[in-house]
Each structure stands twice: as C-alpha cells, then as structure tokens.
Amino acid sequence: MPPTILTFGCRLNAAESAVMGARAGEAGLGDAVLVNTCAVTGEAVRQARQAIRKARREHPDKSIVVSGCAAQIDPKMFAAMPEVDLVLGNAEKLSAEAYRGLALPRLAGTASSSPHWGEGGCERSEQPGEGAGFEISPSPGRLRGRPLPQGERTEPCHVVAAVPSVDGDGVDCRVKPGNDDRREAPGANPLPQGGEDFGLAATEQKVRVSDIFAVKENAPHLLNGYLLPMDRAGEEAGKHVRSFVEVQNGCDHRCTFCIIPYGRGNSRSVPMGAVVEAVRGLVARGTREVALTGVDITSYGADLPGAPRLGRLVRAILRHVPELPRLRISSIDSVEADSDLLAAITEEERLMPHLHLSLQAGDDMILKRMKRRHSRADAIRFCDEVRRLRPDIVLGADLIAGFPTESDAMFEETLALVADCGLSLLHVFPFSAREGTPAARMPQVPRPIVQERAKVLREAGTRALRQRLAAEIGAIREVLVEKPGFGRSAHYLPVTLDLSGDQSAAGAIVSARIVGAGDDALVAEAIQEAA
C-alpha cells in the first residue's frame, strides 16, 4: 500500500512529495501518512497542523511523518503534537534512510500516547522540547543556524506558491555583519553529530532535522526527475502528463517578509546534463509537458562551473530533447531574466507562452522595505518587453496585500499594477508576519484592512482573468488533455472540451477552437485528431 501524502504550498513541494512517497516505500513505511508542509504564511502552517489532526482521526493506526519548510524551520512545534510520529527536515525527507526505524503499524487508540518505534522503544514526552534529548528550536524571536558567508549574494528571495528588483532604486540588498537581517533559522539548529543516524540512534529520536545551510548540492534523486500524475485514470494508463523537474533549490536573497531561505537553505543548482537526462527520461515514460521548478530558478547556475544561466538551460533542454512537446518554466524574478531566456521566449515555440512573476508589490517604497531589487517601472518595462517579444504571452504574478506600513495610496499602486503590467493570473497573499523576519518588526497594518485589500486584489485578478478568457474566443489553441474533458492551453489557461477516442486520453495534444468562456475556464471544440 502506498503512503497517503498531504502536500501544502509550492510546485517544488508537490514535486518532492512524489520522491518522499517513493523513499518511504523503500524504507518499508508504505502504510503511513506523509505531510509535506509550507511556511510561506502563518495560515499555511495552521492548515498543516489542522490536516495532521484530521489525518490522525481518520488514520488512527498509521504513523504520521511531517516534513517540508514549516517542519524544517520549527520542528519543535510539530514534534510536540501528539499526533506526529516523526519530523524530517527538507534534506532528510528525500532519503530512504531517514524513514527507517519507525515501526508499523501504529497501534490503534495510541494517538495521544507514545509512538511505536523499533527495538529501543524511546517514549516521547508530551512536554515540548523533550523526548529527543536536545533543544530542537530556539527561544521566540531568535532564528538560529548558519549565516551566509560574508560576500555571498543575498538579494531578495522569490517564493513560488500554488493549491509561494534592482539596486539602482537605492536599496542596499547586501547582508552585512551585525545586520539583524542576518538571522539564523530555527530549523537549522544542527543536531549532535554522529553519522547516518543523525547523531542519535534511529530508534531513539523523533526529530531528524539537520542544518539546511550545510547542504551544498542538490541530491542525486533529481536524476530521475519528479512525476506529477494528473489523475487516477492517467496513472493507471501509465501516463504522467505533466511533470516537474527541480533545477534549483534554496535562496540567497533575504526579502524582509520571507522565511523560506531558512527552510530551504542557500541557492544550489542541478548541473545542466543531469536536468537534460531527467527530462529525457520523463518523456520516454510518457510525459508531454515538463515544468522547470525551484525556489528561485532565475538564480540558476551561479554555483555551477561556468555559471550557466536559466536561458542557457532552457535552450539545452529544447535542443537535446527534441521529442519533448512542451516546456514550461515556473515563477521567475523578472530582474534576473537573462538575454538567452528572453531570446528563448521569442524564438522557441515549444517554450510555453506563460510567465509567472514574483512582483509582490507595485509601490516603490514598499518594494524597498521588502528589499526587492526592482522598481515599479522595472516591472512594467519587463512586462512590456516580453509582450513585445511574444505578443500572445500570458503573465501572472504574486502580490502581497497589506505589507507593513502600506498606506491606502501605496496599495492603490499595487492594485493599478494588475492593469499596468497586463496581468491575468494572480496569486494574492494577505501579508503574514513570520516570526524572526524584519517585516514582522515593522508597524503592522490592521488585520481587517489587510484582508479587505487582499479581497480587492483578488477581485481585480478575477476580472483580469475573465477579460483574458473572453479575448480567447475564436482562437485555435493546442490543448494538452490532463483528464477526460479537461486540459490546458499553452497559455496555462484551463479548457473544457468534449472529446472521443484517442483525443480523450490523458496526454493527447488536441488542436481546438475556443468557442466560449466561463468564469474561470475556456470552452473549446476539437478540430483535428490528437497529436
């Protein structure tokens, strides 16, 4: 029986969940619940804790393993939950060894008592911080772990979200010795040293979380890529219609609102050859579209020999895997977009005409206080340029509502950015103060105002999407079928359509005429046989 997997947050987390399931299975932990958490907002953490409690009620006899960014940053909090049997860091969750030692099945009715381990039988104390024999996380308000070496790039981070800038505007984006921004991560508190058992015998600890800042390379499991089955029907047919391939992890930037670098560590890239081989292997197994993912993918290559940029990687994939029908890139930081990437957007038809941008705000003062590296004018200029290069491109963006000190006038600048940049697909986040970040110490906007501004932004996003959908009527688009009756166009717009025969199979690419538009999806009619 495969593990039950609950995934929160970004595409990278969704990709890694597939690996977690495989590694847990290799360790003999198939009948378990794996919870892959997100730390972007406090709400994401709350939802993960709620899901853990629900999972225990629904699966009283299964072990629950918690990992992801929230678990990396604050393992003590999850270890203190009586429902949780094991907490893994972001590095550990991708290793089969980390799952070993947890005996199954968990005895029914023991959800509030100690978990059942292999021989050795360490009981968990109900008191936070006890049971593993060491302090798991720091005192409130102080982040701990390994700071970046002086001189390393530490520009603002971008966070991918789903289910997440230039110096010329006067912002000093470097992290300096003694600066409060140079705080260390709670999850990075290193455990006692001692080999593969993470410093303690595998049967004697509940928390297996190491220093994420000590990770220097991406793991070899990336050679196999990540699969994201669209639905059970596609899975049974052996089809993995769309797949994610991680090309980068971690972030060297330090946006004042962002906790993610402390969950992911510093930026590190997968060598181009390994990425190309991963993509080639996925296509051989039925993948029709690959999405390149990571935490800050436009920083790709800075740590590799020769410092290849993301655009060069995109070109290499398309050149060396000609059998790949569609390549997509996930969220990017527009200020880091290199000339090769812009050229690929212009010239490569198999690179999908859709970009998601990490913009966050539309007011220059707020952008400075966020430690972003772009100005409002930079964002508009970039959107105008990519639309000139590829006129039919669809643009989306992450936007934060109610950042500390944001006035009504500042918010109006962000709201206006939706139209000024021609954005159609928005991810809107009400600002969430993350303990230990500089933004959490800034004057906060009252919560009702934050929620109201987020609502206004989402409504603007809905109008923009409907406008884009209406503009598609009459166009002929190539639709990748994800499941019977549903697919996505090259622009990443959802499409409903009636199909029959081979055209209805997951993985078919159908030429279709757009004949209508609903509130959140296009309606199309197929006009030729499946590709």
Side-chain angles (χ1 to χ4, degrees):
M1 178 182 296
T4 299
I5 304 176
L6 306 178
T7 303
F8 296 83
C10 63
R11 291 177 175 181
L12 180 57
N13 249 17
E16 289 176 340
S17 286
V19 179
M20 289 173 62
R23 297 300 178 258
E26 291 171 15
L29 200 63
D31 191 17
V33 178
L34 310 182
V35 184
N36 201 7
T37 64
C38 172
V40 169
T41 64
E43 176 63 15
V45 177
R46 187 195 68 79
Q47 290 179 3
R49 288 170 58 85
Q50 185 180 53
I52 290 167
R53 295 187 183 101
K54 181 179 179 182
R56 172 56 64 224
R57 292 193 300 270
E58 295 179 349
H59 305 284
D61 59 339
K62 292 186 178 183
S63 289
I64 295 179
V65 180
V66 180
S67 188
C69 289
Q72 175 73 46
I73 291 167
D74 194 357
K76 178 179 179 180
M77 175 180 65
F78 290 100
M81 294 182 68
E83 297 85 0
V84 174
D85 296 298
L86 183 64
V87 180
L88 297 180
N90 267 333
E92 288 75 21
K93 72 181 182 183
L94 304 176
S95 166
E97 187 63 29
Y99 296 89
R100 301 191 194 281
L102 187 60
L104 291 174
R106 193 184 211 269
L107 297 184
T110 60
S112 62
S113 60
S114 61
H116 295 271
W117 301 82
E119 294 181 6
C122 175
E123 292 189 354
R124 181 189 65 235
S125 167
E126 295 303 320
Q127 296 301 315
E130 296 182 1
F134 53 88
E135 179 75 16
I136 302 170
S137 67
S139 57
R142 176 61 178 166
L143 299 176
R144 297 161 65 179
R146 180 174 301 176
L148 287 170
Q150 187 174 356
E152 281 196 24
R153 297 188 312 113
T154 54
E155 298 87 350
C157 80
H158 112 253
V159 181
V160 180
V163 223
S165 323
V166 286
D167 293 347
D169 61 7
V171 182
D172 184 356
C173 295
R174 295 169 297 169
V175 173
K176 305 172 184 176
N179 189 333
D180 281 345
D181 294 352
R182 196 178 179 124
R183 289 172 178 263
E184 305 170 348
N189 187 26
L191 306 184
Q193 299 299 307
E196 291 187 357
D197 64 356
F198 307 99
L200 294 173
T203 57
E204 295 181 354
Q205 65 173 1
K206 182 179 180 180
V207 175
R208 304 178 189 180
V209 177
S210 60
D211 182 358
I212 196 67
F213 287 97
V215 179
K216 300 301 180 185
E217 296 179 351
N218 269 337
H221 64 265
L222 297 175
L223 292 175
N224 295 322
Y226 291 139
L227 297 179
L228 182 65
M230 288 297 104
D231 66 339
R232 185 171 298 279
E235 211 173 342
E236 291 171 352
K239 295 276 190 179
H240 297 279
V241 176
R242 294 176 52 236
S243 298
F244 294 144
V245 172
E246 178 183 337
V247 302
Q248 180 274 342
N249 203 336
C251 188
D252 290 344
H253 310 326
R254 294 298 180 266
C255 294
T256 59
F257 58 84
C258 187
I259 196 72
I260 296 305
Y262 303 109
R264 289 287 178 178
N266 293 332
S267 181
R268 49 207 186 274
S269 309
V270 182
M272 286 201 300
V275 174
V276 169
E277 285 305 309
V279 173
R280 183 178 289 121
L282 288 166
V283 174
R285 284 139 62 190
T287 287
R288 308 306 303 279
E289 177 179 301
V290 165
L292 306 183
T293 189
V295 175
D296 180 27
I297 67 170
T298 33
S299 69
Y300 176 83
D303 56 324
L304 296 177
R309 302 292 299 277
L310 179 62
R312 184 176 166 190
L313 174 65
V314 167
R315 295 278 210 182
I317 293 169
L318 293 171
R319 181 171 63 252
H320 294 295
V321 194
E323 63 272 30
L324 172 68
R326 295 163 65 141
L327 180 66
R328 196 178 298 278
I329 56 178
S330 62
S331 185
I332 68 169
D333 193 342
S334 59
V335 76
E336 288 185 320
D338 61 280
S339 58
D340 273 344
L341 180 59
L342 293 177
I345 291 170
T346 306
E347 301 165 6
E348 300 283 0
E349 290 186 0
R350 290 185 295 143
L351 180 61
M352 297 296 94
H354 162 241
L355 288 177
H356 192 83
L357 308 176
S358 177
L359 297 182
Q360 310 303 351
D363 179 81
D364 283 338
M365 181 57 70
I366 292 297
L367 288 168
K368 288 182 179 182
R369 290 169 180 166
M370 288 179 167
K371 275 200 171 178
R372 302 297 294 168
R373 292 169 301 146
H374 70 272
S375 66
R376 175 188 177 81
D378 293 326
I380 296 172
R381 188 181 306 114
F382 178 83
C383 293
D384 288 345
E385 176 65 7
V386 294
R387 194 169 282 110
R388 182 186 69 80
L389 296 173
R390 197 156 180 177
D392 68 330
I393 198 164
V394 167
L395 300 176
D398 295 331
L399 294 173
I400 296 175
F403 186 83
T405 76
E406 182 184 72
S407 66
D408 290 342
M410 292 171 173
F411 171 69
E412 289 298 325
E413 288 284 273
T414 296
L415 181 61
L417 195 70
V418 177
D420 293 344
C421 283
L423 304 176
S424 300
L425 298 168
L426 298 188
H427 287 159
V428 176
F429 300 91
F431 174 75
S432 177
R434 308 302 287 129
E435 182 181 358
T437 61
R441 304 191 301 273
M442 297 179 185
Q444 304 293 302
V445 175
R447 202 66 198 162
I449 295 177
V450 172
Q451 298 292 354
E452 177 60 25
R453 289 176 181 173
K455 178 174 177 284
V456 171
L457 270 179
R458 290 189 182 111
E459 289 170 348
T462 297
R463 291 192 297 272
L465 174 58
R466 290 175 180 170
Q467 182 178 359
R468 176 69 200 206
L469 294 176
E472 290 285 296
I473 296 175
I476 295 175
R477 301 300 187 199
E478 298 298 306
V479 178
L480 173 61
V481 179
E482 296 182 0
K483 59 184 178 182
F486 177 81
R488 288 187 185 272
S489 71
H491 301 96
Y492 202 63
L493 297 174
V495 181
T496 61
L497 66 174
D498 290 328
L499 299 170
S500 60
D502 291 342
Q503 289 183 318
S504 65
I509 296 179
V510 178
S511 185
R513 185 183 306 279
I514 308 301
V515 297
D519 289 342
D520 55 6
L522 298 168
V523 180
E525 295 177 349
I527 59 175
Q528 69 176 43
E529 291 301 313

